[in-house]
Amino acid sequence: MAGAAGPATGSGAAGGDGDDSLYPIAVLIDELRNEDVQLRLNSIKKLSTIALALGVERTRTELLPFLTDTIYDEDEVLLALAEQLGNFTGLVGGPDFAHCLLPPLESLATVEETVVRDKAVESLRQISQEHTPVALEAHFVPLVKRLASGDWFTSRTSACGLFSVCYPRASVAVKGEIRQYFRSLCSDDTPMVRRAAASKLGEFAKVLELDSVKSEIVPLFTNLASDEQDSVRLLAVEACVSIAQLLSQEDIEALVMPTLRQAAEDKSWRVRYMVADKFSELQKAVGPKITLNDLIPAFQNLLKDCEAEVRAAAAHKVKELCENLPMEGRETIIMNQILPYIKELVSDTNQHVKSALASVIMGLSTILGKENTIEHLLPLFLAQLKDECPEVRLNIISNLDCVNEVIGIRQLSQSLLPAIVELAEDAKWRVRLAIIEYMPLLAGQLGVEFFDEKLNSLCMAWLVDHVYAIREAATNNLMKLVQKFGTEWAQNTIVPKVLVMANDPNYLHRMTTLFCINALSEACGQEITTKQMLPIVLKMAGDQVANVRFNVAKSLQKIGPILDTDALQEEVKPVLQKLGQDEDMDVKYFAQEAISAMAQRLRKLDFPVKDSEEPSAPGPDKNHFLRPREPGEDTGKAQRDRVARVASEEAVEADQFRGPGAAKGPAYQLHVNTRDTFPQLDTAEIVLFLPKYRLISRI
């Protein structure tokens, strides 16, 4: 590809008059031929920029032929090219010239890599909508015919995705030809082509006339559903949903149901799995009458299928099936024809089946009502809460809100506790993490008394877990519990236990105390933070471990906005000054960060300056970028003076706050007044501080 001829570059590409502004475009064009794959990929991603610079005529006559001739490249480059060409219509002159984009996309639709072909087909479908009916028949339909009759299976698979976009606007004669080509692809010798045709069968059926659906699509559906390859048969099940939506009840019964019954009992588990996976869509498509007569018995067989994957897929659909049943007689159908099979799945030998059922079974309580839930479902819930598989217990706990709405959670509370304790102490840390995430939900449903009595100790134990992710989640959990139960509960129950950890011999646990204070301070408010939490944080500033000390500095910066000025000046300031002289570089750095932040806050509190009080002249207009400058007006100088003055004042105040012995920061540090917004800073200020970096060229 490096030696291929491309669009003209150099002075010609720049317009022939030596215009340096187009030099970067010439570089991009040269990179299209570069041996480095990454450079070619970057240039392809900027193809629209190249096309804009070349103009519509040169894009059509030079760039597109070049791209068509150099299609043989790395897959990632071709993928980017296929994506770019889909949005190229405006760059070649509009819809009248959209057909110019077809040759390179046709070549891309025949390559071996599936991802590239799919993206080329997606772009072709997008471009087809911009063709006029005349241009569609003159340029797009012939492309589809060429792809459909190609020698390689790759072109024929790509053609399958294009029939549905060109058929609606074609003439009657051309429609007949299109249907004929699609029929030939459905009976192709290559399984990959038949699979592609089966995947697009439902989509194609939606744009056909009803008579053509009955006379041509249904026979094709029947043949594909009986194909020797199970990968083809399972895709026919998906097409069944679209076809059934187009037909009347009588036609569905006569033309579709025999094939669907056959698929539900197919010898391949993959086909049966697809029937189970699409069961809700099939149920809606065929209607309530056929559901009761045919689909319910088929669903019963799927729930007791010999393959666990099929049973799991069917179990996932139990709730949706029950919800979609007609209201009249729904309870009776569920109790007599569905529930007996559900009871068997509760004790299934496969954990994936039990887990799938546990994720939906709680939803049946809202459908069956209080009495049936207590009598029939509650024993199943209790059995699943004692299941040996953690995922089953987790799925039950995560859906407790459904049962709480119907019967209340007290009926489950005694069985809930052992299940929660086992999950909280599970050897797998991801299981422990999952139960922590559900704890605020459980706390809200169980109430504060039950929580304090049974679950509070668990939440505190997680804070000293050996896995950091658990300790972090436990910290966030405490914050959510405080938001749910209130600050008084936190002050009496949580805060004392957290603060005791500050004396733990393990430095990781002492750091967890700081993390908890960071999370709880905002939820607990100023009084609790100042009286109970702040003294502990200040005491920990003398910790022997540097990691604890620099986290003290970070915590003081975090809780600073909550504290009053007296606490900042009298208690926080001396501690931060001491940390600012620490022998550890990290401690010193974070202490200086906290000092700067607090100095800025104190300045705002002690010297409030409102925008309305600032002089309007001779300073620059806040929107000086949005209006022309007055003669002789130097907004850059005035703005620089103002920024320098503010920076100088803040630097002085920060030094005063640090104290006389604090380490000085690097000379290039600049503290900018946060009241100034970025648009107010003139570009000259950036150049002033970055003298090395100069603008070399521009487009």
Side-chain angles (χ1 to χ4, degrees):
M1 178 173 178
T9 59
S11 60
D17 58 355
D19 184 4
D20 292 337
S21 66
L22 287 182
Y23 174 72
I25 302 299
V27 173
L28 288 175
I29 295 173
D30 285 338
E31 287 179 355
L32 286 172
R33 302 172 296 176
N34 199 288
E35 293 182 358
D36 189 333
V37 175
Q38 190 59 47
L39 288 177
R40 295 202 303 274
L41 180 61
N42 292 339
S43 188
I44 287 290
K45 289 181 177 179
K46 297 174 182 175
L47 209 55
S48 58
T49 304
I50 297 175
L52 280 170
L54 292 176
V56 294
E57 184 174 350
R58 293 187 65 189
T59 297
R60 294 197 301 266
T61 58
E62 296 180 36
L63 182 60
L64 291 180
F66 167 72
L67 294 173
T68 305
D69 293 339
T70 56
I71 279 302
Y72 307 102
D73 202 336
E74 299 293 334
D75 292 333
E76 55 184 337
V77 177
L78 298 181
L79 178 62
L81 177 59
E83 184 177 6
Q84 288 287 320
L85 291 177
N87 303 312
F88 239 60
T89 304
L91 299 172
V92 295
D96 292 339
F97 297 95
H99 62 274
C100 297
L101 299 171
L102 299 183
L105 285 171
E106 181 177 356
S107 299
L108 289 169
T110 63
V111 300
E112 189 174 351
E113 177 56 45
T114 305
V115 178
V116 177
R117 292 202 311 271
D118 291 344
K119 182 58 70 174
V121 169
E122 182 182 330
S123 294
L124 282 168
R125 290 168 64 96
Q126 187 175 338
I127 291 173
S128 70
Q129 305 301 321
E130 297 167 345
H131 280 69
T132 63
V134 175
L136 193 76
E137 290 194 10
H139 301 287
F140 197 86
V141 173
L143 175 145
V144 177
K145 292 179 180 178
R146 289 194 299 272
L147 290 175
S149 56
D151 294 333
W152 290 93
F153 79 91
T154 53
S155 68
R156 302 200 296 276
T157 55
S158 295
C160 294
L162 299 174
F163 289 101
S164 60
V165 295
C166 62
Y167 185 88
R169 293 190 290 158
S171 62
V172 176
V174 174
K175 284 182 177 180
E177 295 180 24
I178 294 174
R179 293 197 302 271
Q180 177 59 42
Y181 274 99
F182 191 82
R183 283 199 300 272
S184 66
L185 293 178
C186 287
S187 57
D188 195 275
D189 294 335
T190 309
M192 285 81 80
V193 178
R194 299 199 302 275
R195 189 160 62 237
S199 67
K200 299 298 181 182
L201 183 64
E203 179 185 290
F204 189 47
K206 291 179 179 179
V207 300
L208 261 63
E209 300 80 8
L210 184 59
D211 292 339
S212 298
V213 172
K214 293 180 182 178
S215 61
E216 298 185 41
I217 295 297
V218 170
L220 294 176
F221 162 69
T222 304
N223 292 336
L224 291 171
S226 305
D227 195 274
E228 61 182 11
Q229 297 285 332
D230 63 350
S231 61
V232 177
R233 299 200 300 274
L234 65 88
L235 290 171
V237 173
E238 193 170 348
C240 180
V241 176
S242 300
I243 295 172
Q245 291 172 343
L246 303 171
L247 301 175
S248 63
Q249 289 286 304
E250 293 78 9
D251 290 333
I252 293 174
E253 183 62 50
L255 302 174
V256 176
M257 287 312 299
T259 306
L260 184 56
R261 294 188 196 103
Q262 175 185 331
E265 300 174 354
D266 196 278
K267 61 183 178 181
S268 170
W269 72 267
R270 297 172 65 196
V271 179
R272 302 196 303 274
Y273 174 91
M274 183 60 75
V275 174
D277 189 56
K278 297 292 180 182
F279 211 88
S280 299
E281 292 92 325
L282 290 168
Q283 181 185 3
K284 294 176 183 177
V286 301
K289 183 178 179 181
I290 296 178
T291 295
L292 297 177
N293 295 335
D294 290 282
L295 293 191
I296 293 295
F299 192 72
Q300 292 172 341
N301 292 332
L302 294 172
L303 286 173
K304 60 179 184 179
D305 195 275
C306 59
E307 293 291 339
E309 288 85 351
V310 179
R311 297 199 302 276
H316 264 302
K317 300 296 178 180
V318 165
K319 180 185 175 183
E320 292 182 27
L321 172 78
C322 296
E323 286 177 336
N324 295 331
L325 289 172
M327 292 295 295
E328 185 179 353
R330 178 168 69 176
E331 185 178 319
T332 304
I333 296 169
I334 296 173
M335 297 299 297
N336 296 335
Q337 300 187 51
I338 303 296
L339 194 59
Y341 295 89
I342 293 176
K343 291 179 179 179
E344 294 181 12
L345 292 182
V346 169
S347 56
D348 196 277
T349 55
N350 187 280
Q351 68 176 28
H352 298 293
V353 177
K354 294 187 290 185
S355 179
L357 180 64
S359 66
V360 298
I361 191 173
M362 306 289 273
L364 295 180
S365 58
T366 56
I367 300 173
L368 293 178
K370 184 174 182 178
E371 293 182 4
N372 287 325
T373 298
I374 294 175
E375 183 178 352
H376 298 284
L377 294 181
L378 190 57
L380 304 182
F381 300 157
L382 297 175
Q384 289 177 308
L385 279 172
K386 299 175 183 177
D387 195 274
E388 61 183 8
C389 176
E391 285 79 9
V392 175
R393 302 196 298 272
L394 270 177
N395 284 341
I396 290 293
I397 290 172
S398 64
N399 290 284
L400 281 174
D401 52 334
C402 300
V403 177
N404 193 32
E405 294 175 6
V406 180
I407 63 172
I409 208 169
R410 289 294 176 182
Q411 306 244 18
L412 282 171
S413 59
Q414 296 306 316
S415 298
L416 265 178
L417 188 60
I420 293 171
V421 171
E422 288 182 17
L423 290 170
E425 299 172 352
D426 195 276
K428 298 177 182 177
W429 70 269
R430 295 184 188 278
V431 175
R432 301 199 300 276
L433 183 63
I435 192 63
I436 291 174
E437 292 173 352
Y438 294 126
M439 192 56 65
L441 173 68
L442 287 170
Q445 294 171 346
L446 293 169
V448 64
E449 294 180 4
F450 185 93
F451 181 85
D452 283 343
E453 182 182 352
K454 306 291 185 182
L455 300 179
N456 195 314
S457 57
L458 276 180
C459 293
M460 302 309 299
W462 284 324
L463 291 173
V464 294
D465 195 279
H466 65 278
V467 177
Y468 172 75
I470 301 297
R471 299 196 300 273
E472 183 182 35
T475 301
N476 294 329
N477 172 56
L478 287 184
M479 180 181 66
K480 294 176 182 177
L481 290 173
V482 172
Q483 292 172 348
K484 191 174 289 290
F485 290 149
T487 56
E488 185 178 349
W489 173 82
Q491 186 176 10
N492 297 330
T493 309
I494 294 296
V495 173
K497 295 180 180 179
V498 168
L499 299 182
V500 167
M501 291 169 53
N503 300 317
D504 196 288
N506 189 327
Y507 84 96
L508 293 175
H509 300 167
R510 300 199 297 276
M511 285 172 58
T512 303
T513 301
L514 294 173
F515 299 151
C516 289
I517 289 173
N518 293 346
L520 294 175
S521 59
E522 188 173 348
C524 291
Q526 186 184 82
E527 184 178 355
I528 297 176
T529 302
T530 305
K531 291 182 178 179
Q532 294 184 256
M533 298 183 190
L534 181 60
I536 299 297
V537 177
L538 298 176
K539 178 183 176 183
M540 294 176 71
D543 198 280
Q544 295 180 349
V545 180
N547 290 42
V548 177
R549 296 199 301 275
F550 78 65
N551 273 289
V552 167
K554 292 170 71 175
S555 293
L556 289 174
Q557 183 176 352
K558 173 74 175 177
I559 68 176
I562 301 171
L563 304 174
D564 57 26
T565 53
D566 292 339
L568 288 175
Q569 289 280 19
E570 298 172 8
E571 300 181 65
V572 176
K573 177 181 174 181
V575 171
L576 285 178
Q577 287 176 340
K578 181 180 178 182
L579 291 175
Q581 302 174 31
D582 197 277
E583 60 184 12
D584 187 273
M585 292 298 295
D586 291 328
V587 178
K588 191 182 301 182
Y589 169 78
F590 286 109
Q592 290 178 356
E593 287 284 305
I595 286 171
S596 299
M598 292 195 182
Q600 196 172 54
R601 178 167 181 261
L602 287 173
R603 179 181 182 278
K604 288 182 179 180
L605 293 173
D606 295 340
F607 309 102
V609 179
K610 299 181 181 179
D611 289 338
S612 59
E613 296 173 357
E614 294 180 0
S616 56
D621 189 340
K622 288 182 179 294
N623 297 317
H624 69 277
F625 286 114
L626 305 179
R627 63 168 176 81
R629 296 186 178 182
E630 298 295 335
E633 178 184 4
D634 182 7
T635 58
K637 183 179 185 306
Q639 193 75 325
R640 286 194 299 274
D641 291 344
R642 182 168 179 268
V643 171
R645 173 174 52 79
V646 173
S648 175
E649 290 174 2
E650 291 191 353
V652 170
E653 289 173 5
D655 285 338
Q656 292 175 350
F657 194 82
R658 288 191 185 98
K664 301 293 184 183
Y668 56 79
Q669 282 188 342
L670 174 66
H671 300 281
V672 180
N673 187 356
T674 55
R675 289 183 288 106
D676 291 325
T677 55
F678 183 75
Q680 291 174 281
L681 300 178
D682 196 89
T683 311
E685 295 165 30
I686 300 174
V687 177
L688 178 66
F689 292 103
L690 299 174
K692 289 184 182 179
Y693 304 99
R694 306 218 178 259
L695 193 61
I696 298 172
S697 62
R698 61 183 181 184
I699 297 175

